[in-house]
Amino acid sequence: MSDHRRKTLRSFYCEEQLWQAFERRARETDVTIDQLLNDALRQFVEGPAPAPAPAPAAPQPEHATYSMPAIPRKAPRPSSAPAPAPAAPAAAPAPPPPPGGPAGPPPAPAAPPRQTGAVPAQGGMPTVYLHFNGRVHPVNKERFVIGRGSQGTDLTIRDGNISRKHAAVIFHSGHFYMQDLGSTNGIEFRGNRIDAKKIEEGDAYFICDHELTFSFRG
């Protein structure tokens, strides 16, 4: 190791708030505090590095035309209280029994139709099941975040090519959508990079080399 790169143990006084900030930054970026301190001192002594020349733009894959519908605004509430509802009319008297004895029991009500597709969860929200790496992750919340970071994500994928918060499953207007969160490498669906798409039964999305499949039947 060259002399200017050799590290020596030092001791110094540091404000408690600064040290806590360094510890928090080290946890967020998955690096050691020593590395953060060395980088900060080097930047202070040497100054910011000159910006590199911009590289020629690489051709981007064609984006699909999927998009998530805009969330409608709620109408403003009226300032005055609504008028009271009119009183319900009095119930008509029951008709007399037909001649020849009492009538038989009324027919049983028809059974409700069997529901298919999404499985209702608490609060009426359906559930979509995310299959990844041999495991099944039920998604029954409005925002299910996928990324490399260990904090603020519901599904963590340890891959340096994946952004800390890469994508999210969004529940909107009764449907689930796969949404890109401004990641570097994006999301692919059937060979096209997408920004957002409504999730259908059996859809398979790729985040880098990782496949995520969705199903409403578990």
Side-chain angles (χ1 to χ4, degrees):
M1 180 184 295
S2 59
D3 292 341
H4 72 280
R5 282 294 197 183
R6 185 176 62 249
K7 296 181 180 180
T8 306
L9 178 64
R10 306 292 184 183
S11 62
F12 63 96
Y13 292 99
C14 178
E15 294 182 6
E16 184 65 23
Q17 293 182 353
L18 290 177
W19 187 258
Q20 293 177 0
F22 268 98
E23 291 180 333
R24 183 170 58 254
R25 182 62 176 172
R27 289 192 301 267
E28 292 176 352
T29 56
D30 295 333
V31 299
T32 63
I33 297 180
D34 292 346
Q35 184 177 348
L36 283 180
L37 288 172
N38 278 273
D39 291 343
L41 291 174
R42 187 178 300 108
Q43 184 176 6
F44 177 79
V45 173
E46 299 177 357
Q60 297 294 331
E62 182 182 358
H63 282 222
T65 58
Y66 305 111
S67 61
M68 187 170 68
I71 301 176
R73 287 189 171 184
K74 295 182 178 180
R77 294 183 176 179
S79 57
S80 59
R114 183 179 179 184
Q115 295 183 352
T116 60
V119 180
Q122 291 185 357
M125 180 179 293
T127 300
V128 64
Y129 297 91
L130 191 163
H131 297 255
F132 170 72
N133 202 18
R135 299 185 61 183
V136 180
H137 303 269
V139 180
N140 53 10
K141 56 192 303 188
E142 293 184 353
R143 183 181 174 90
F144 184 91
V145 180
I146 305 167
R148 172 174 52 86
S150 57
Q151 297 181 356
T153 57
D154 300 287
L155 174 59
T156 303
I157 304 176
R158 295 296 185 182
D159 188 334
N161 296 318
I162 295 178
S163 301
R164 294 181 60 83
K165 292 184 178 180
H166 196 105
V169 179
I170 305 294
F171 183 77
H172 172 63
S173 298
H175 301 283
F176 287 99
Y177 293 85
M178 189 65 166
Q179 174 77 47
D180 186 10
L181 298 181
S183 64
T184 301
N185 294 318
I187 307 170
E188 285 191 7
F189 177 75
R190 295 182 179 176
N192 294 319
R193 181 167 176 172
I194 64 169
D195 295 324
K197 180 191 175 299
K198 177 183 173 182
I199 296 175
E200 304 287 351
E201 175 65 28
D203 276 359
Y205 301 83
F206 281 87
I207 296 180
C208 296
D209 294 330
H210 305 275
E211 182 179 15
L212 293 82
T213 307
F214 292 87
S215 173
F216 293 96
R217 295 192 292 266

